[in-house]
Amino acid sequence: TVVLYWNQKKHEYQVDAITEVAPTATEIQRKDTGKETLTIYTCTPLVTAKNRLVIQASPLNAVEEGAP
């Protein structure tokens, strides 16, 4: 799971997919999943910009709670 705090709310997401793509593979940004999706990008391998690691997740819930 991934936990985010936004506007004093806790948001939890279940990871659906983890993929590695080329830096030029921008089609994932235009992909319509038909549902709310959190997409996280980072460079991989560590300390290089050779590829992009893409993590996609679906919301589990949103709970009123102060951010830590």
Side-chain angles (χ1 to χ4, degrees), residues 20-67:
E20 189 173 315
V21 299
T24 56
T26 58
E27 64 277 358
I28 199 159
Q29 295 175 344
R30 295 184 302 274
K31 184 179 176 185
D32 183 8
T33 62
K35 61 180 182 174
E36 181 182 344
T37 302
L38 171 69
T39 303
I40 302 169
Y41 298 89
T42 190
C43 296
T44 194
L46 290 174
V47 300
T48 72
K50 182 178 178 183
N51 290 312
R52 302 293 179 266
L53 187 68
V54 182
I55 302 165
Q56 292 183 299
S58 300
L60 291 175
N61 59 29
V63 178
E64 289 285 334
E65 189 175 299

Side-chain angles (χ1 to χ4, degrees), residues 9-27:
K9 290 183 182 179
K10 178 181 178 182
H11 301 271
E12 293 183 86
Y13 293 82
Q14 177 64 46
V15 174
D16 298 323
I18 300 174
T19 55
E20 189 173 315
V21 299
T24 56
T26 58
E27 64 277 358

